[in-house]
Amino acid sequence: MKAVRSLPDKFLAAMIATMPLPGSPRYGGDEERIVAQALSDSGHYNEAGADAIILENSHDLPYIKPPLPARAVEVMKGVAREVRARFAGPVGIQMLEAANDTALEIAHEAELDFLRVEGYVFAHVGGAGVIEGCAGRLLRKRKDLGCEHIKIFGDVKKKHCSHALTGDLDILDELKQAEFFLVDGVIVTGARTTEPPELADLRRVKKHARVPVIIGSGMTPENIKSYFPLADGFIVGSTFREKGQFMGALDPKRVETFMKMFRSLRGKPTKG
């Protein structure tokens, strides 16, 4: 039996943006440094009390659709194994752009707990081109691998994308289709990284959803109080970095400031 690490109510998943992986234009040639940076971030998140960690190849700009470079996948597997060995809570992964099968393979081999999936249902146009729905293929692969304990959290009306192909569909249409296609939770975001979701959209999704609703962008110490009642989980990355910038280095002081606010909202005592 596989270990099942449950996400708590109102969970906080802290995002580790790995350094550029092999094959990407900004790859620096030092694989050991990639692992060390991820483990450093993981240590800070663990100390601050994050409930979960999610890995993402954020720095592999510009993103490409799969297949991803084989060496990049192998390095990410190594990162995932090392983080998994040191962090007791749930660990997830997203592989950009829409390399969802690859993310599942890594999660399976490294004994991770959840995926963040873009393009789960319908289709959209991302920076690398047209992204088609993957739910049927992905869940069949999950069953074939015998890892149905790995949760699938799918973005609806994903950020950084054009949704002209589904312009006749409301966000609730995507929610209902994702649920019909057996998603384990849905992720709602703003239009771009660092931007929070529209409160009206979030309220509507939360009201109608039968699965957990997760906010995937834009949470800060200044706005988390307003958004806290409206979601079951929060994926946070940029606000933990220098000046709140997506590509910035992790700033432990910003991590602790946000986590103190988050813990107080959840009714837990703060450290120190």
Side-chain angles (χ1 to χ4, degrees), residues 133-192:
C134 70
R137 183 184 71 249
L138 190 64
L139 265 61
R140 283 167 174 79
K141 186 179 186 71
R142 184 175 68 169
K143 187 173 183 65
D144 287 345
L145 291 173
C147 58
E148 291 176 281
H149 61 286
I150 296 177
K151 300 295 185 184
I152 307 294
F153 299 142
D155 277 82
V156 288
K157 295 291 186 182
K158 186 186 178 294
K159 61 185 177 179
H160 292 287
C161 296
S162 166
H163 297 283
L165 291 172
T166 54
D168 58 334
L169 299 179
D170 183 75
I171 193 169
L172 292 186
D173 295 312
E174 293 209 9
L175 164 68
K176 292 173 183 177
Q177 188 68 28
E179 290 180 333
F180 185 54
F181 276 11
L182 309 179
V183 78
D184 295 303
V186 295
I187 300 172
V188 182
T189 70
R192 299 189 180 281

Side-chain angles (χ1 to χ4, degrees), residues 8 32 56 67 77 89 118 131 134-135 151 162 174 184 194 204 213 219 248 258 263:
E32 291 184 359
E56 183 181 292
K77 287 179 181 177
E118 55 185 317
I131 305 298
C134 70
K151 300 295 185 184
S162 166
E174 293 209 9
D184 295 303
T194 75
R204 292 170 62 231
V213 176
M219 295 298 92
F258 184 92
R263 287 192 298 269

Side-chain angles (χ1 to χ4, degrees), residues 221-266:
E222 292 75 28
N223 68 17
I224 186 62
K225 186 175 181 179
S226 297
Y227 282 90
F228 189 80
L230 302 176
D232 303 292
F234 305 82
I235 296 173
V236 181
S238 297
T239 201
F240 291 149
R241 303 194 180 108
E242 292 175 353
K243 299 181 180 180
Q245 295 179 351
F246 176 59
M247 294 295 173
L250 194 73
D251 183 338
K253 290 184 178 179
R254 292 181 67 93
V255 174
E256 185 59 25
T257 296
F258 184 92
M259 289 304 303
K260 281 184 177 180
M261 174 69 74
F262 190 83
R263 287 192 298 269
S264 69
L265 290 171
R266 201 163 58 178

Side-chain angles (χ1 to χ4, degrees), residues 14 16-17 29 41 81-82 92 113 128 173 205-206 210 256:
I16 293 176
D41 287 5
R81 292 189 191 102
E82 293 294 333
D113 306 283
D173 295 312
V205 171
K206 182 60 177 166
R210 294 182 284 106
E256 185 59 25

Side-chain angles (χ1 to χ4, degrees), residues 8-172:
D9 294 338
K10 300 288 186 181
F11 69 86
L12 188 290
M15 201 263 278
I16 293 176
T18 58
M19 296 175 65
L21 297 172
S24 65
R26 291 179 172 176
Y27 172 57
D30 190 341
E31 295 179 4
E32 291 184 359
R33 188 180 174 204
I34 294 171
V35 177
Q37 173 264 327
L39 290 179
S40 175
D41 287 5
S42 174
H44 287 300
Y45 289 148
N46 191 45
E47 175 64 22
D51 301 304
I53 283 173
I54 180 167
L55 305 169
E56 183 181 292
N57 59 328
S58 308
H59 290 271
D60 285 356
L61 294 165
Y63 306 130
I64 58 172
K65 296 194 293 183
L68 304 185
R71 188 59 200 163
V73 175
E74 288 305 308
V75 171
M76 199 64 161
K77 287 179 181 177
V79 169
R81 292 189 191 102
E82 293 294 333
V83 171
R84 168 75 287 156
R86 291 165 173 78
F87 187 80
V91 179
I93 188 168
Q94 177 179 22
M95 294 297 288
L96 302 166
E97 182 164 351
N100 301 314
D101 287 16
T102 301
L104 181 61
E105 292 166 6
I106 296 171
H108 173 56
E109 293 189 26
E111 299 184 4
L112 307 188
D113 306 283
F114 65 95
L115 306 184
R116 180 175 185 173
V117 171
E118 55 185 317
Y120 186 73
V121 292
F122 298 119
H124 63 259
V125 182
V130 177
I131 305 298
E132 296 185 6
C134 70
R137 183 184 71 249
L138 190 64
L139 265 61
R140 283 167 174 79
K141 186 179 186 71
R142 184 175 68 169
K143 187 173 183 65
D144 287 345
L145 291 173
C147 58
E148 291 176 281
H149 61 286
I150 296 177
K151 300 295 185 184
I152 307 294
F153 299 142
D155 277 82
V156 288
K157 295 291 186 182
K158 186 186 178 294
K159 61 185 177 179
H160 292 287
C161 296
S162 166
H163 297 283
L165 291 172
T166 54
D168 58 334
L169 299 179
D170 183 75
I171 193 169
L172 292 186

